[in-house]
Amino acid sequence: MNQGHQLEERITFYGGLTTIGGVHIVYSCGDTGIVFDLGMARAFFKGEVSVRSDYGIRSCLLTRMAPPVMGLYDPALLGDVGEAELAQVWGQDQLPQVKNLHGFVSHIHQDHMALLPSLREGLPVWMHRDAYAVYEGVVAAGEYEGTQADIRLIEDGQIVDFGTFRMEFIEVDHDSPGVTGFIIHGPEHKIAFTADWRRHGRNSHRLDRFIERCQSEGVDLLITEGTRMRPDTLFRKPKDRLEVEVAVECRRAMEDTNGLVYVNILARNVERVADLIIRTKEAGRQLVMDESTAVLWKETSAKLTVLAGHQALDVDQEVIRLLSTPQWSKGPQPSKEVELPYESITLNEITANKSSYAVYLTYPNTPLIAELETFGSRESASIYVHADGNPLTPSDETLLKWLTEFGVQYRYCATGGHASPQEISELTTRIAPKLVVPLHSLHPTMFNSGGIRKYCPAPGESFALSELVRK
């Protein structure tokens, strides 16, 4: 590293700058670099207008939904899309390219990992081992294709030497296991990336440790998410439901009715699902899962270091019942033959004794409500608990129409994975970098940096790091 001061450190910003998700940043030092993250925001693709996550990479590149870094992707998927075409799409004469390229995935939400199936064979991609356990689960469940990349597992606190720079990986707290930020130790500069984070989760102390490491190292550039920066949150800190309270709210719903309880949780939040299993048992009910959700739970839960010793692993076989996925469902179908140890159940068995069951109801399977509510007793109203599962809004017209039609009570008890603007400001002022870049936000310019110099880059802007820090 002695010659490192002669190597130019460069940073290029592509995605996630004025959107929630889809962060694409390239850091390079000499001929070695890393792209973080490897997901996509929705933008051009939503609902019926969508492409497969592997073969759709051409459309994603030509709509600036994927970073124009040629060494990332499987050449067989690119076809004749090359650097010249991408430079034209980005309105530039040429695009920075890196010879010795790596990738980084901070966690397994689609806006941070959706490019994984499109990556070239052997590309080194770094992620926390718990994040990879979740990815294996979503692939087995049929939600995503696998990857040809060379996945390299990291631990909290691990430092990896890339030759011209080092990366120190630091686990943070979000609503998915294994979420990891980092500090890049370059020859002249240090960059900290928070990944997605929150203070109202189980492990707020991880953020304090992240801050302490940044303070100790003297960070030049801080890159932080700003999902919740909006006009209505600028002057009033929202009151967040604690993560540990979500499953308790689900149990309360199960105790409040003799009807069915529907629960909608994003299955990738495996820790929350584990808590739900325990609360369901406490309420004297069994939790009915579709095959895809059960596969994701089974494949992931046994591998997660964060769930080691959790009670849910001991009781899931007596709590979970398996419901065959309806033929009409547009939801994912398991792509892997997994031997599930759960006893099967039919719709007739559920409706014959509604007070004994909670139904884990994913959004594509919403029409099951018609059968579950039409048959069996309707003396007690059923309750639908919406806890950060898709759709992510409490005002989804389609969902609310189904619930209204069948007289199902709606309870919204979400607690997302993102920090309040005030918490982001506090983290920034405590770290006290020379410069802060807020992104993963619709309103990054609203960020109150507490006097710390801030910069909001435009898509495609590329800087020598020394130039950006002085800017």
Side-chain angles (χ1 to χ4, degrees), residues 121-418:
E121 184 176 1
L123 176 76
V125 174
W126 303 82
M127 70 175 80
H128 191 283
R129 66 173 57 254
D130 277 355
Y132 184 59
V134 179
Y135 182 60
E136 288 185 299
V138 300
V139 170
E143 292 188 21
Y144 268 87
E145 298 84 9
T147 184
Q148 299 182 87
D150 176 14
I151 303 298
R152 301 188 179 184
L153 304 182
I154 53 176
E155 306 279 358
D156 178 36
Q158 182 175 341
I159 297 176
V160 175
D161 192 336
F162 290 83
T164 59
F165 61 93
R166 294 177 299 121
M167 289 184 72
E168 177 181 355
F169 298 101
I170 305 170
E171 193 172 2
V172 296
D173 191 67
H174 186 45
D175 56 345
S176 182
V179 184
T180 303
F182 56 70
I183 300 174
I184 292 177
H185 301 257
E188 290 190 68
H189 299 97
K190 294 184 173 67
I191 301 174
F193 173 60
T194 63
D196 288 5
W197 65 279
R198 62 180 177 178
R199 278 292 195 181
H200 52 281
R202 294 176 176 81
N203 300 292
S204 183
H205 64 276
R206 292 177 183 165
L207 275 305
D208 293 316
R209 186 181 56 190
F210 181 90
I211 292 169
E212 289 164 6
R213 287 298 303 140
C214 290
Q215 290 172 329
S216 175
E217 292 299 325
V219 166
D220 298 296
L221 171 63
L222 171 65
I223 303 172
T224 180
E225 69 120 313
T227 304
R228 296 171 67 188
M229 288 189 287
R230 304 185 303 270
D232 62 309
T233 61
L234 278 181
F235 304 106
R236 180 177 58 82
K237 181 179 178 180
K239 184 177 181 180
D240 291 311
R241 179 182 285 104
L242 297 178
E243 173 60 42
V244 294
E245 295 175 352
V246 176
V248 173
E249 291 289 335
C250 293
R251 185 191 67 189
R252 184 170 292 119
M254 296 177 201
E255 295 170 341
D256 285 349
T257 183
N258 287 322
L260 280 172
V261 172
Y262 304 98
V263 180
N264 185 352
I265 291 173
L266 190 66
R268 300 183 198 193
N269 193 342
V270 189
E271 292 175 90
R272 185 180 293 180
V273 176
D275 288 348
L276 173 65
I277 290 169
I278 296 304
R279 301 306 180 195
T280 302
K281 178 177 172 59
E282 292 173 351
R285 295 188 184 229
Q286 290 184 304
L287 183 63
V288 179
M289 285 186 177
D290 65 90
E291 296 160 295
S292 179
T293 302
V295 166
L296 197 159
W297 161 255
K298 191 62 181 176
E299 282 289 284
T300 303
S301 59
K303 300 173 185 176
L304 285 179
T305 58
V306 75
L307 282 187
H310 198 289
Q311 287 178 282
L313 302 180
D314 296 324
V315 304
D316 65 345
Q317 292 187 41
E318 60 184 271
V319 177
I320 295 174
R321 299 290 297 273
L322 190 63
L323 182 67
S324 294
T325 304
Q327 292 298 315
W328 46 255
S329 175
K330 287 190 175 182
Q333 305 286 338
S335 64
K336 179 179 177 181
E337 288 290 334
V338 176
E339 187 174 342
L340 296 171
Y342 313 122
E343 187 178 345
S344 296
I345 193 169
T346 66
L347 291 176
N348 287 341
E349 289 177 291
I350 298 171
T351 57
N353 193 6
K354 293 183 178 181
S355 63
S356 296
Y357 303 106
V359 179
Y360 195 122
L361 195 65
T362 61
Y363 190 45
N365 292 339
T366 297
L368 279 175
I369 290 175
E371 297 185 55
L372 292 170
E373 292 301 313
T374 298
F375 295 94
S377 173
R378 300 192 69 179
E379 290 184 9
S380 294
S382 296
I383 300 174
Y384 185 100
V385 182
H386 193 180
D388 296 303
N390 290 319
L392 298 178
T393 171
S395 56
D396 181 76
E397 182 179 351
T398 300
L399 175 60
L400 296 180
K401 191 166 186 175
W402 275 93
L403 302 182
T404 301
E405 175 69 17
F406 291 97
V408 178
Q409 296 179 11
Y410 180 69
R411 295 189 184 181
Y412 187 69
C413 67
T415 182
H418 303 282

